[in-house]
Amino acid sequence: MNVIQFNIDTNSIESALKKTTLSIDKIILKMQSAVNREVIKSAKKRFRALFDVKNHNQYTLLNANAENAGGKNAKPILSNFKATKGREARTSWILNKAFYAGFLERGATITAKKSKWLTFKAGGQWHKVKSVTIPARPFLKPAVEEFWGSEKSVQIAEKVLQKELLKYWDK
């Protein structure tokens, strides 16, 4: 599993909510979720820029169809992003459980397991090779760094915090 961890200074959030009955943990998760939604939008946009999703061969690869994935998690990458809260308090995750997502993100070398050769059709021709190296074409990690590694996450989180505080004070 490829994990990118960012720590958030929550002291200012805690001081803003100190004299309220609002749940700090819930507000922080809402803030993280808002940023993660923007990360997913950016990752999808990057993915579309890297891969021709209308090309049949690429489409088959991206969908990890049941024939070539052995039925394992045969879901398309673009529609299989999910932002979820983590097990520990104040943590969240961005997941993509599509079979090939990790291979495309980090790159991979694929070798034949049950025979001497990998046989596949690409560019209208059949190829027979012992192994194939898929180059890394990251689409999620740059999106995470674009938001969580910059001021963008702070701006998005502050909007959520302000909205929650306004709802609280308008009661």
Side-chain angles (χ1 to χ4, degrees):
M1 181 190 306
N2 199 9
V3 175
I4 305 164
Q5 181 175 338
F6 286 89
N7 294 317
I8 302 168
D9 179 17
T10 58
N11 293 335
S12 60
I13 300 165
E14 289 175 2
S15 66
L17 300 177
K18 195 174 194 175
K19 295 178 181 173
T20 71
T21 57
L22 293 169
S23 168
I24 295 169
D25 291 343
K26 286 182 182 178
I27 300 292
I28 289 173
L29 283 174
K30 283 183 180 185
M31 293 163 68
Q32 289 174 348
S33 294
V35 175
N36 287 343
R37 282 190 300 274
E38 294 302 315
V39 169
I40 289 171
K41 283 181 195 174
S42 179
K44 286 181 176 184
K45 184 177 178 182
R46 288 171 193 277
F47 187 84
R48 286 185 185 101
L50 286 170
F51 301 97
D52 179 8
V53 294
K54 292 180 181 172
N55 178 309
H56 176 71
N57 292 332
Q58 288 290 337
Y59 182 81
T60 303
L61 171 71
L62 303 180
N63 278 285
N65 63 21
E67 293 86 45
N68 64 16
K72 294 180 189 174
N73 240 346
K75 297 179 181 178
I77 289 173
L78 282 173
S79 62
N80 202 28
F81 279 101
K82 181 179 179 184
T84 183
K85 70 178 190 173
R87 289 183 183 161
E88 297 87 29
R90 301 180 184 180
T91 62
S92 62
W93 295 85
I94 298 173
L95 309 169
N96 193 314
K97 292 185 178 181
F99 183 72
Y100 285 109
F103 301 140
L104 297 175
E105 179 80 25
R106 294 183 301 276
T109 299
I110 300 170
T111 56
K113 283 186 177 180
K114 295 183 180 180
S115 66
K116 284 186 170 185
W117 305 97
L118 293 172
T119 306
F120 57 93
K121 190 175 185 178
Q125 291 184 289
W126 285 97
H127 300 274
K128 191 175 183 180
V129 296
K130 290 192 178 206
S131 67
V132 172
T133 300
I134 299 171
R137 290 178 273 184
F139 51 93
L140 182 57
K141 187 174 180 180
V144 169
E145 290 170 350
E146 175 190 353
F147 285 89
W148 284 109
S150 74
E151 194 66 24
K152 289 181 180 182
S153 64
V154 175
Q155 293 168 353
I156 295 166
E158 283 178 351
K159 285 181 185 176
V160 172
L161 179 59
Q162 287 301 318
K163 183 178 176 182
E164 292 299 316
L165 287 172
L166 285 172
K167 278 198 299 190
Y168 175 79
W169 295 118
D170 286 344
K171 283 184 179 180

